[in-house]
Amino acid sequence: MTTETRPSESSDPAGHAAARAALLAAPGPLGRPRREALARLTDDWLAGLLAEAGAPPGVALVAVGGYGRGELSPRSDLDVLLLHDGPVSRELPERIWYPVWDAGAKLDHSVRTVAEARAVAAADLKAQLGLLDARHLAGDPALTAALRSAVFTDWRASAPARLPELRELGRERAERHGELSFLLEPDLKEARGGLRDVVALDAIAATWLADAPRDGLDAAALRLADVRDALHLATGRATERLSLQDQDQVAERLGVLDADTLLRQVYEAARTIAYASDVTWRAVDRVLAARSGRARRTVRRAFPFTAPFTAPFTGAGRGSGAVARGAVERRPLAEGVVEQDGEAVLAQGARPAADPVLPLRAAAAAAQNGLTVSYATVRRLAAECRALPVPWPDEAREQLVTLLGAGEAAVPVWEALEAEGLVTRLLPDWERVRCRPQRNAVHRWTVDRHLVETAVRAAAMTRRVARPDLLLVAALLHDIGKGWPGDHSEAGEVIVRDLATRMGFGPEDTGTLAVLVRHHLTLVDTATRRDPDDPATVEAVTKVVTTLPELELLHALTEADALATGPAAWSAWRASLVDGLVARAAGRLAGAGTAPAEAAPTAEQERLAVEAARTGEPALSLRAQAEGTGNEPMGVELTLAVPDRPGLLGTAAGVLALHRLAVRSAGLRELDPIGAGPVLLLSWRVAAEFGELPETARLRADLRRALDGSLDVTRRLAERDAAAPRRRGIPTPPPLVAVAPSVASATATVLEVRAHDAPGLLHRIARALDGAGVRVRTAHVSTLGAEAVDSFYLTDPAGRPLAAGRAGEVAAAVRAALG
């Protein structure tokens, strides 16, 4: 703005500048008290300027934006509105603005009526957000009150249209500035989780539609504001970026130990704000969807399994299904967990105090269905669930693997658990890596998020390994030694041995995890620094990795770790070097391992086999298990002996699927106990997906009906699948069906199947094998988390291994059955 007339020097900009400098140089107050004192000092100065300018009635000076909130950082702009209810002279605003400029302050100013301010706000969301913080400074208070009343009325009325716009602004900021909690040089204001997000949360609260979870939010915002103050004073500039060269000075001004400690505090604050934003925006989405009539009210509920084949089913997990009847508000996901309004919440009958596995079960169910766990649910789990027993029950370990195996969908769920302290309760050693910065330009994440991202990458590689559970856990823990003195790989080996034992892994698996953590850098270091043609190079690898399964695990972990580090850590050249080294090491290790000898049948198995051979009928035993969560049965050991007949494995698996039983492991072998012909012995470990286990008598009767043909299992499963509404899914690697090398068995062809677990998966595989006209002589079935890893030993009807071409046809048939 230009004018021919300048205000007099009596406004004394130098006097205000001196008073301001004295306040900032004083040893106290600091933090919020100093920001408030600086705002009061500025308020008095501007009020004096308005009085000296001779403002007529019907004029008010109003602070907006950050200044309107009553706090000023040392280098903050002054956002001021000269409000009037009629014409004002050109000289009046200039008598106020010029002294401000002369004092060296940055000024964002405007002159408007209430109607004009409302019109600008309606057209400009940022202007509207600034007016939400309007605060009277001087002049006519009624005019300011009228503005505030009108602005808030407009904001609430327009909220359904403006909130999506506000959300998009936040997304654009996040794309430009990144996530504050992972940046080495974060923008304290604009990055996701920064001070601008706090303003957005306050604006949402002002709509009366939703509010942010307030626990810790104010403290987080105060922490970022304090760091911003120290940054302004250390640099003497109005900067929001916490640059590397300024971090030591900022830490010193705040009395923080060092720059790393400063960054951890900043990251923790940013995560609190980011998580509060996620929770709040989900609440906004639900409210807006309900107001527009698009709310999802078609989720389904489970009811107790009473008549197994008279109603359609839907479910998740190998051999399982959840019952659907009617359009109601909840859809079962797992025992004690349901979906409601797009989130995983606790079922009405859930008992967190008596079920320490429930947090992991809820997290795994949410992630596998592309959901997150609701804020209220996580809070309740944190408050009521007791610690897991040591060692963990099997279910807890399986649920952790299932959570990690969800890939990208696991990240928001993990963040929700971490926000309420559940991760460090499960893994106490996590505290040392939580929010720990990595001062390396190659790394794009903090240590803890890098570990989670490595697990995400590893989830896409589960088909490459025979033990996806070990791969996922090793990915999550491979850098757990960072934060301890010395080599983090050596420290990590010690930590992971203790953690693996706590998780309930056996000695052999614990040893494998320790090798993976200790040597997670060995392949890439060796491949890029040693001569690949030197025999000693391969020997350096085979000395530490002594079996092919360990080698394939280390290979996958190496790639997942590098991909999760950042673009500079992995390239086609590095990948080719590592692949070549692994191929040479695999050649050295080929034939080094031998298949474990099959255990002799137990007395109970022999008894059932004899009974089946003598009667020609199926013989069955069921034994419930209790797994560490009280006296409630958590699974069933099922043993079935049946005279050999085509389609037996698929039929039995189908019956279990109809009873909503998930197959955790299974084995099939042939016996001839009395020389009257082969008897197939199936040993299962199964668990109920929802509710209680089926009655033994009903399961026995349905198995008999299926075997004598009076129950068409395949038709019933097809009816259930057709009637079930399609469930939300997550991207998973495609199934892998492969014929193992002939060295795997001298008497049979070994078909390996690796796939994401799904309802009736084993039934579909077995039916495909039966349709292909081959015999399943032996089978080894495992479900590790959400991944199925199965091996089938096949022969032709005469008991001979399959020819190569025939084996390929069988593999293709199974692949087609899995879609």
Side-chain angles (χ1 to χ4, degrees):
M1 184 179 296
T2 62
T3 181
E4 297 176 359
T5 305
R6 281 180 58 92
S8 70
E9 297 297 325
S10 62
S11 52
D12 188 19
H16 170 73
R20 182 177 178 278
L23 175 61
L24 294 178
L30 303 175
R32 171 178 277 175
R34 181 170 62 189
R35 289 190 292 276
E36 292 175 343
L38 186 56
R40 288 193 300 271
L41 178 66
T42 307
D43 292 352
D44 294 342
W45 179 44
L46 292 178
L49 291 175
L50 183 66
E52 289 184 9
V59 173
L61 198 60
V62 182
V64 297
Y67 181 30
R69 290 188 289 276
E71 295 189 17
L72 277 179
S73 289
R75 296 288 176 176
S76 290
D77 294 354
L78 300 181
D79 296 334
V80 183
L81 166 65
L82 185 64
L83 194 64
H84 63 95
D85 61 2
V88 294
S89 66
R90 293 175 56 189
E91 291 78 12
L92 176 63
E94 293 170 359
R95 292 191 182 104
I96 303 170
W97 308 150
Y98 268 106
V100 176
W101 290 325
D102 289 343
K106 291 186 177 180
L107 179 67
D108 187 352
H109 60 88
S110 58
V111 182
R112 294 187 179 111
T113 64
V114 171
E116 289 170 342
R118 293 176 69 183
V120 170
D124 185 344
L125 177 58
K126 293 181 180 179
Q128 189 169 39
L129 294 176
L131 289 173
L132 290 176
D133 292 310
R135 180 172 59 88
H136 183 70
L137 296 178
D140 186 352
L143 199 56
T144 304
L147 174 68
R148 283 181 54 83
S149 177
V151 166
F152 276 95
T153 298
D154 293 345
W155 176 241
R156 288 165 187 147
S158 63
R162 309 246 44 187
L163 286 179
E165 187 181 351
L166 177 61
R167 187 174 199 171
E168 187 58 32
L169 279 178
R171 286 174 174 163
E172 291 173 357
R173 282 191 292 102
E175 289 177 0
R176 287 195 306 271
H177 300 282
E179 292 197 56
L180 198 160
S181 55
F182 304 121
L183 297 169
L184 278 177
E185 294 186 312
D187 188 306
L188 300 171
K189 187 175 182 180
E190 303 292 344
R192 180 175 182 267
L195 292 168
R196 190 76 79 182
D197 282 345
V198 179
V199 175
L201 291 176
D202 289 341
I204 294 170
T207 66
W208 296 348
L209 297 180
D211 195 10
R214 291 291 165 177
D215 286 350
L217 183 59
D218 288 343
L222 285 174
R223 189 58 186 165
L224 292 188
D226 290 349
V227 175
R228 184 190 186 204
D229 285 1
L231 178 62
H232 284 188
L233 293 173
T235 62
R237 294 179 288 109
T239 180
E240 314 297 340
R241 185 170 297 281
L242 186 59
S243 300
L244 289 172
Q245 64 266 25
D246 301 322
Q247 291 172 10
D248 288 323
Q249 295 181 64
V250 172
E252 184 179 356
R253 282 185 173 271
L254 293 171
V256 174
L257 179 63
D258 55 26
D260 275 4
T261 304
L262 170 68
L263 278 183
R264 291 191 76 173
Q265 293 180 357
V266 167
Y267 292 163
E268 288 170 353
R271 289 191 188 183
T272 298
I273 295 168
Y275 179 62
S277 297
D278 290 341
V279 171
T280 306
W281 280 116
R282 288 199 299 270
V284 169
D285 287 343
R286 289 193 295 272
V287 172
L288 295 184
R291 287 194 167 199
S292 65
R294 296 194 305 268
R296 288 182 59 216
R297 301 296 181 191
T298 57
V299 291
R300 293 154 295 280
R301 63 181 171 90
F303 58 86
F305 189 94
T306 54
F309 308 122
T310 59
F313 294 77
T314 181
R318 181 186 303 209
S320 68
V323 184
R325 180 176 289 177
V328 292
E329 293 188 351
R330 291 187 162 205
R331 176 172 65 114
L333 298 175
E335 178 62 24
V337 188
V338 298
E339 178 187 352
Q340 179 177 307
D341 290 332
E343 295 179 321
V345 303
L346 295 185
Q348 293 179 353
R351 299 183 301 160
D355 188 357
V357 181
L358 187 55
L360 281 172
R361 192 185 311 124
Q368 286 292 327
N369 285 276
L371 308 170
T372 191
V373 186
S374 78
Y375 173 71
T377 294
V378 179
R379 296 271 294 172
R380 184 181 172 194
L381 291 171
E384 298 183 23
C385 279
R386 56 188 172 88
L388 282 168
V390 178
W392 291 6
D394 290 347
E395 187 198 0
R397 190 171 61 255
E398 291 168 357
Q399 295 295 351
L400 174 63
V401 172
T402 302
L403 167 61
L404 300 177
E408 288 284 355
V411 175
V413 176
W414 189 271
E415 290 176 342
L417 297 182
E418 184 141 48
E420 297 300 330
L422 285 168
V423 171
T424 50
R425 187 185 302 181
L426 290 167
L427 306 170
D429 295 281
W430 194 261
E431 180 60 33
R432 276 190 176 259
V433 298
R434 189 174 63 87
C435 293
R436 179 172 292 278
Q438 303 203 77
R439 295 187 176 277
N440 185 323
V442 174
H443 278 277
R444 59 181 299 190
W445 306 109
T446 54
V447 177
D448 58 336
R449 182 59 181 269
H450 168 71
L451 294 175
V452 175
E453 290 290 331
T454 303
V456 168
R457 297 287 187 167
M461 303 176 185
T462 51
R463 301 295 177 271
R464 292 168 43 176
V465 298
R467 290 294 304 273
D469 56 333
L470 297 183
L471 172 62
L472 292 169
V473 173
L476 182 69
L477 301 177
H478 73 278
D479 276 346
I480 198 70
K482 288 187 174 179
W484 291 86
D487 187 297
H488 77 277
S489 298
E490 294 177 0
E493 178 184 8
V494 176
I495 295 170
V496 83
R497 285 187 182 277
D498 176 66
L499 278 176
T501 302
R502 288 172 58 87
M503 289 178 178
F505 284 104
E508 184 176 349
D509 289 346
T510 296
T512 298
L513 288 170
V515 168
L516 295 175
V517 171
R518 174 66 181 86
H519 296 287
H520 69 271
L521 298 175
T522 294
L523 286 181
V524 71
D525 285 349
T526 304
T528 56
R529 299 176 183 178
R530 302 277 293 272
D531 179 3
D533 295 323
D534 187 343
T537 301
V538 174
E539 186 178 358
V541 174
T542 56
K543 276 186 176 180
V544 297
V545 182
T546 57
T547 68
L548 284 173
E550 277 189 356
L551 181 62
E552 68 181 13
L553 283 168
L554 187 60
H555 188 192
L557 175 60
T558 299
E559 185 173 341
D561 180 20
L563 290 171
T565 297
W570 196 244
S571 63
W573 171 73
R574 286 196 172 201
S576 66
L577 292 179
V578 171
D579 289 348
L581 177 60
V582 168
R584 291 180 175 88
R588 178 78 63 89
L589 294 174
T594 58
E598 191 167 39
T602 65
E604 175 69 2
Q605 290 173 337
E606 288 185 341
R607 181 189 68 77
L608 293 172
V610 169
E611 179 182 344
R614 285 177 175 171
T615 63
E617 296 291 331
L620 170 68
S621 73
L622 289 157
R623 183 165 66 88
Q625 299 173 308
E627 280 194 345
T629 57
N631 295 322
E632 295 186 9
M634 297 301 295
V636 163
E637 290 182 358
L638 184 155
T639 306
L640 175 66
V642 186
D644 193 8
R645 67 184 68 185
L648 173 61
L649 179 61
T651 298
V655 171
L656 297 181
L658 287 174
H659 278 265
R660 297 184 294 126
L661 290 173
V663 178
R664 306 310 301 172
S665 65
L668 181 150
R669 64 195 298 183
E670 284 185 356
L671 296 177
D672 190 357
I674 59 175
V679 170
L680 292 185
L681 185 71
L682 294 96
S683 302
W684 312 78
R685 185 169 69 88
V686 298
E689 287 291 334
F690 313 106
E692 299 179 353
L693 293 164
E695 295 179 359
T696 302
R698 174 60 61 86
L699 181 59
R700 187 192 307 271
D702 289 336
L703 281 168
R704 291 182 183 276
R705 291 172 58 212
L707 290 171
D708 67 22
S710 60
L711 172 64
D712 189 337
V713 174
T714 301
R715 182 173 66 83
R716 293 294 189 181
L717 284 172
E719 290 174 351
R720 183 193 73 180
D721 292 342
R726 189 173 299 277
R727 298 186 63 165
R728 185 193 308 266
I730 58 172
T732 59
L736 175 66
V737 182
V739 179
S742 58
V743 294
S745 173
T747 59
T749 297
V750 180
L751 186 72
E752 296 180 345
V753 180
R754 300 174 185 175
H756 194 75
D757 195 14
L761 176 67
L762 182 57
H763 175 72
R764 295 201 302 275
I765 295 172
R767 274 186 53 80
L769 294 175
D770 186 47
V774 297
R775 292 182 64 232
V776 181
R777 195 190 71 191
T778 306
H780 300 279
V781 174
S782 297
T783 304
L784 304 170
E787 299 299 318
V789 181
D790 304 340
S791 297
F792 301 91
Y793 286 68
L794 310 176
T795 67
D796 62 17
R800 297 168 301 200
L802 306 180
R806 179 75 176 118
E809 294 172 358
V810 173
V814 173
R815 202 175 292 116
L818 297 181

